[in-house]
Amino acid sequence: MEWTQALSVGVDIIDEQHKELFDKINSLVEAIKSHTCKYKIGDVMQFLEDYVVFHFGEEEKYMRRFDYPEYRAHRQQHDQFWENLQKIKKQLPKIEGGKKPGSYDLSVETNQLVVDWILEHIAQIDKKLGAYLKDKV
Ligand SMILES: [Fe+2]
Ligand SMILES: [Fe+2]
């Protein structure tokens, strides 16, 4: 997936964080293509967890600081993503147990979750937030 200007939310610090997500998910796509995703998915999952805590936290801080009227709805999407991520993560110990069954499916599922997130959340919901924050930060 390529980063394009159309995905910019107009606030540099948020765009930079979004690009980090792009880079990581592209590295997972590469690993899926080269059949090495079973070695990669654990690392990607750890990244996603850390990333979500930090990045969602940052956006939520901005929303509260500037009394964003759609805070609750936006926050709900963040919480939902976290839950979806946990559902996939729960299946990880089985993979790290040696035989790594299902790592391909799990990698594809993770990729799909993030791609949907980029299209449905970043490109729309975060963009709306960016427009609101643009002349405030
Ligand atoms: Fe975001
Ligand atoms: Fe967001």
Side-chain angles (χ1 to χ4, degrees):
M1 203 169 192
E2 288 276 329
W3 170 267
T4 66
Q5 204 48 38
L7 288 161
S8 167
V9 302
V11 178
D12 287 348
I13 191 163
I14 295 179
D15 281 343
E16 288 312 314
Q17 292 174 10
H18 287 161
K19 283 178 191 167
E20 249 185 274
L21 179 65
F22 266 70
D23 289 347
K24 200 68 182 183
I25 211 60
N26 282 334
S27 74
L28 179 62
V29 171
E30 284 310 312
I32 291 170
K33 283 186 195 157
S34 62
H35 308 286
T36 55
C37 55
K38 64 184 170 194
Y39 305 112
K40 186 84 188 164
I41 185 64
D43 162 58
V44 170
M45 187 55 68
Q46 186 58 56
F47 167 87
L48 286 173
E49 263 197 331
D50 295 344
Y51 175 86
V52 157
V53 170
F54 175 71
H55 172 67
F56 290 0
E58 287 286 289
E59 285 187 359
E60 287 162 17
K61 215 162 61 189
Y62 278 126
M63 287 192 263
R64 287 192 302 267
R65 187 183 303 159
F66 297 104
D67 285 320
Y68 187 52
E70 291 174 54
Y71 173 73
R72 280 175 68 96
H74 195 135
R75 172 82 201 254
Q76 250 167 28
Q77 289 207 359
H78 286 176
D79 292 347
Q80 186 60 54
F81 183 86
W82 174 259
E83 277 173 36
N84 292 338
L85 196 64
Q86 292 306 311
K87 277 183 205 151
I88 299 178
K89 196 201 167 188
K90 272 192 200 127
Q91 301 171 59
L92 267 181
K94 285 188 269 173
I95 287 170
E96 286 164 351
K99 290 184 178 167
K100 307 183 190 241
S103 60
Y104 177 81
D105 290 349
L106 214 54
S107 299
V108 170
E109 213 180 309
T110 303
N111 177 52
Q112 195 56 52
L113 179 71
V114 174
V115 169
D116 287 348
W117 180 256
I118 289 168
L119 298 175
E120 288 160 18
H121 187 85
I122 293 181
Q124 298 176 49
I125 307 296
D126 282 349
K127 221 176 156 103
K128 237 172 157 181
L129 171 63
Y132 181 81
L133 294 176
K134 207 169 183 165
D135 45 1
K136 295 179 178 67
V137 293

